Amino acid sequence: MSDDELDEVPFSKRPDWADVVPIEQDDGPNPICPIAYKDDFKEKLNYFRAIIKSNEKSSRALELTDSIIQDCPSNYTVWYYRREILKVIDFDLQEEFDYVGAMGESDPKNYQIWNHRRWLVETYNDNSRELEFIAERLQEDGKNYHAWGQRQWVLTHFKLSLTDELAFVDKMLKTDHRNNSAWNQRYFVIAQQYLSSTPSATSLPQDVIKKEVDYAVSFIKYSPNNESPWSYLRGLYNGTSLNDEDLIKLLVEMKGKYIGCAHVLSLLIDIYVEQNKPESLTEAVKICTSLMNNIDQIHRNYWQYRLSSLESKLNSLKQQ
Amino acid sequence: MSRIQEIDIDTDEDYNSNIQQQQNNINNVVQREPITPTVIAQNGMIAQIMEKRADHKDDETGEELEPGLFKEQCVSFATDALGYIHGSHTSLESSRAWICFWNLHALDLLGYLTPERLHEPTKTTQSKVVEGETCDGSIKSRSTGFLKRLQQPSGGFAGGMDQVSHMVSTFAAVSALMVVESYEVINRRTMYQFLMRMKTAQGSFKTQEDGEDDSRSTYCAMVVATLLNIVTPELIQGVPEYLARCQTYEGGFGGQPGVEAHGGYTFCSVAALSLLNSLHLINFNSLLRWLVNRQLDYDGGIQGRTNKLVDTCYSYWQCALFPILRAYDESLASQHHAMFYQNIGNSVDGKQLFNQQKLQEYCLVCCQNVRGGFSDHPQRGRDYYHTCYTLAGLSVSQHNDLYLSVNCINGSRQEMPPVTLTSDVTAPPYTLSDCTDQEKLSNLIEPTHPIFNLCLPKCGNGQVPFILEDVDSKYTIGRVKRTLCARYNIPVKSQRLILGGRQLKNRFVSISLTPLSVSVSQTFKTLEEYKIDGEFPLHLVLRLSLFAVAPVSNPNVRVAGEQPPSTTATLPTLEQEEAGIVEVDDEDD
């Protein structure tokens, strides 16, 4: 859509724009933080002001929005007006997808581009390109926040296959086991499958928890200090008790294997707190002290805070 | 998949005496870790930080130097921006309200924006006189003159000239106007209409008419409404529940329910929930754990998401949450929890739940530009955004008493916040024994409010005074409130009018006692009787105490999704009020 050669001709020199009287920008007297715009950009905005004023929704107006977007993709007003134009003129949907797709490639972290894309998908009820397009963006940057957000929206809005999505996430995690966005997506899929579909469920089914714990552990083995699978593992127990015999056995074994791994110790402390017995709290105090003084010193103030709380719990238990 | 070397260590002594062995063991494991994009990026960052730290040493002795702030240079960087923004920033055309806020607030944080400097007429290169408008060239008049042009007839502010209103720009414009103390140019009636138009059925707020909605935009709406005193039950209906749903299994919050926990969105969600007195809806413990873990060991800086790189702007987004959470934590069981914090008091790293010293080192040593200003990472160029948010981050990591200012923003606890909090600070130089007061002060940033990110004197106690231009002095207090209700859609029952710290009452009950009888009479005071004739700043405080926190029996068990107590109050109709049924202000001073 964007014709580079045509772009070079200023709007004031284009015969087909001769009928439009550009409107100058008025920042007022002595404005604070004035931007020293380049003249050609200023001119485009002047023409845009005129178009808005006359409420012109035409293909040449569409072309003008593109020209401004190239200089300033975050101009949400121009994007907004572009949609207003698209609502009333005939246009090729594929072309618009190509356009916003190319913009997304060159500026993948731009709110306006993703919002425009979502509008297209929703308004024209066409999600045929989405998962592939998003997958391409995630190939370039596996943690693109907008891309993952759009992905979740497409999956839920169009009720797409969650089994396929789980396979996609698995592939992403095998590429980068420290990609926390992919871990989050896995949690999202599992929660969609077992929690959102059954409103009465307050936690994941036990067999799913076990399976997913195994999955997380298979990644923890690569790198015990990788926080992502640890958070995932802990999250699986949301709404249910961490005080699970198999889990404790596994964690104690890991505590012996991965010496100095703060994540396993942190999880054990929380389990001991849940047990709320003098011997388990004593153990928690011991672990907490070692995290504070040796293993996790950057977070020592936090462990000090936890320790105070543990000690006061222990004291009140002993007094009973 | 590799096998892990197994070492049996059971006792505490073994833990303590085998640190070296532990490190070796971890290294062995990590060495077998596949090299992925995350690993490469993190290693690159560590190398950059090592380089910066190596440079920051005394040439002769080889000792590490104290980190220091290039204050004058930073002031120049921001003051230059007030007069001229380079054309390469054309892409920020829709963020002009933000450019104003970043630079004005940076100057305020640096202690530069004194009342004299704010009002001092100055000459600039781009001087232009427009008929009917006067501009004395002061920072205040130039800022006000420009920002009010961004205000739209249908409410809210646009990010740039002749654009449509945008929630995030509205937040920036309102914040900037607070910095220069010109909130009177804000049209609160249309602002309220704009906010209501942006509200979605799920309790979030959109950024623009057909824009995205998320916790960021919702925070902006809540802050604007709070600062401008236009919070109504209708406006905040469903908002706390929406924000609570954005908390993820990790503990932080995403931009939308289900999306990955992220520093910016976590700040927005939690700060807004704090404004709404609704922190009981979230899982406090998992949030705190997630938050603490965002500070990285080697880097000392703060990352926005798990396994991402550190970035200076999160110094504010994440660390401002510590005073907010502390304020909440202590409010639950003051004595008990205050003790936990006091135990931290003697730590060398600072008194908050993160390592204040290391964070400041990352910002000052690794990301500071010698010509003033800050960048996100060690080897990047400085920019206005990161300069503003690094300074704000330094502020929250220096002032240990900021949590006291968090509780001063709603109707139930409205004592003035301490305006200067320099008594308890953690800031370089850390070797305090042999440095002058001047040296100590040179690195200090002004205290900023953890929720609003405005310097404390600019928060207006979280309450902007209302201006009632068409109210007669014969009006009773009840009638003043009904006028406000009619104009700003603020229910009478939510209003409390304050004059000079005293609450103005609707009704006075006088009781006379004689040995045989008790006689009760009531009077309704007018503004005149309160000696108000239009020039007095009346403060309207909204009774957010309607949404008070439920007492929690065990403060350590906070379950996400728990329902608050009665959150909706039955509001009287105007007819009832006219009939005098509710013409009572039952609250005592």
Side-chain angles (χ1 to χ4, degrees), chain B residues 206-224:
Chain B
K206 293 183 291 185
T207 52
Q208 67 185 93
E209 301 289 350
D210 66 350
E212 70 279 2
D213 66 300
D214 53 27
S215 50
R216 173 189 64 133
S217 187
T218 306
Y219 160 81
C220 292
M222 290 298 102
V223 166
V224 166

Side-chain angles (χ1 to χ4, degrees), chain A residues 151-212:
Chain A
R151 203 167 172 92
Q152 291 193 357
W153 175 77
V154 176
L155 288 168
T156 45
H157 192 81
F158 294 96
K159 298 189 173 58
L160 302 180
S161 161
L162 293 172
T163 318
D164 291 353
E165 187 61 10
L166 214 51
F168 174 77
V169 170
D170 184 54
K171 213 174 77 188
M172 290 294 292
L173 284 174
K174 297 246 159 81
T175 314
D176 188 351
H177 57 286
R178 283 183 184 257
N179 184 344
N180 195 63
S181 310
W183 282 103
N184 184 79
Q185 186 75 350
R186 188 169 182 96
Y187 196 91
F188 167 79
V189 172
I190 299 286
Q192 284 288 317
Q193 283 177 324
Y194 300 100
L195 290 176
S196 306
S197 53
T198 28
S200 61
T202 53
S203 68
L204 295 170
Q206 283 300 318
D207 59 321
V208 174
I209 295 181
K210 297 258 179 274
K211 211 174 112 226
E212 291 303 303

Side-chain angles (χ1 to χ4, degrees), chain A residues 24-38 41 45 48-49 52 71-77 80 83-84 87 109 111-112 115 118-119 141 143-146 148-149 152 175-181 183-185 187-188 218-228 231-232 234-235 238 255-261 263 265-266 270 286 290 294-302 304-306 308-309 312-313, chain B residues 1 4-7 9-10 12 15-16 19 22 25-26 29 33-34 36-39 81-87 89-94 96 99-100 124 126 128 130 133 135 137 139 142-143 146 149 158-159 161-164 166 169 208-212 214 216 249-250 254-255 257-260 262 265 284 288-289 292-297 305-308 329 336-337 340-341 343-344 347 349-350 352-355 358 556:
Chain A
E24 286 284 327
Q25 178 158 320
D26 178 13
D27 277 7
N30 210 344
I32 201 92
C33 303
I35 300 181
Y37 304 110
K38 291 183 188 85
F41 181 68
L45 287 183
F48 184 64
R49 250 181 291 277
I52 293 246
D71 289 340
C72 182
S74 63
N75 190 319
Y76 60 88
T77 304
Y80 166 73
R83 287 188 287 277
E84 293 297 302
K87 282 178 194 167
K109 291 186 178 177
Y111 280 97
Q112 279 67 44
N115 182 49
R118 184 177 298 195
W119 176 81
D141 173 7
K143 300 174 183 178
N144 183 324
Y145 203 77
H146 299 278
W148 284 109
Q152 291 193 357
T175 314
D176 188 351
H177 57 286
R178 283 183 184 257
N179 184 344
N180 195 63
S181 310
W183 282 103
N184 184 79
Q185 186 75 350
Y187 196 91
F188 167 79
S218 74
F219 283 87
I220 289 171
K221 283 178 181 168
Y222 281 122
S223 48
N225 282 337
N226 177 8
E227 188 182 343
S228 296
S231 295
Y232 181 76
R234 188 196 278 269
N238 270 359
K255 176 185 157 202
K257 272 186 192 172
Y258 313 132
I259 311 298
C261 170
H263 304 300
L265 299 175
S266 161
D270 290 354
K286 200 167 113 182
S290 115
N294 296 313
I295 295 167
D296 194 23
Q297 291 186 40
I298 182 80
H299 307 128
R300 62 170 292 133
N301 288 5
Y302 169 72
Q304 172 77 67
Y305 165 85
R306 293 293 307 273
S308 296
S309 151
S312 98
K313 265 203 182 74
Chain B
M1 206 165 294
I4 310 296
Q5 184 192 352
E6 294 195 24
I7 308 170
I9 294 183
D10 288 322
D12 198 29
Y15 265 112
N16 295 336
I19 303 162
Q22 291 164 18
N25 181 58
I26 289 291
V29 176
E33 180 176 357
T36 68
T38 303
V39 176
L82 299 187
Y84 174 83
I85 303 285
H86 193 265
H89 286 87
T90 292
S91 60
L92 291 178
E93 155 64 14
S94 294
R96 290 190 66 188
I99 300 177
C100 294
T124 59
Q126 291 215 343
K128 189 164 69 173
V130 173
E133 274 188 83
C135 179
I139 293 176
R142 289 173 56 212
S143 307
F146 174 69
R149 281 162 183 266
M161 207 51 84
D162 303 307
Q163 300 196 23
V164 294
H166 192 283
S169 306
Q208 67 185 93
E209 301 289 350
D210 66 350
E212 70 279 2
D214 53 27
R216 173 189 64 133
Y249 67 93
E250 287 190 85
V259 183
E260 186 184 5
H262 179 293
Y265 295 108
F284 181 91
L288 188 59
R289 182 181 49 245
V292 161
N293 278 313
R294 302 289 55 78
Q295 184 167 30
L296 298 191
D297 188 7
R305 298 184 250 161
T306 306
N307 275 324
K308 288 274 284 180
D329 204 15
H336 196 51
H337 280 239
F340 299 163
Y341 289 94
N343 282 343
I344 298 157
S347 159
D349 312 319
Q352 302 192 49
L353 294 190
F354 65 105
N355 191 321
K358 274 215 157 194
N556 284 311

Side-chain angles (χ1 to χ4, degrees), chain B residues 110 116 207 244-245 364 442 524 580:
Chain B
L110 291 162
E116 298 74 45
T207 52
R245 280 206 308 279
L364 294 169
S442 64
F524 300 94

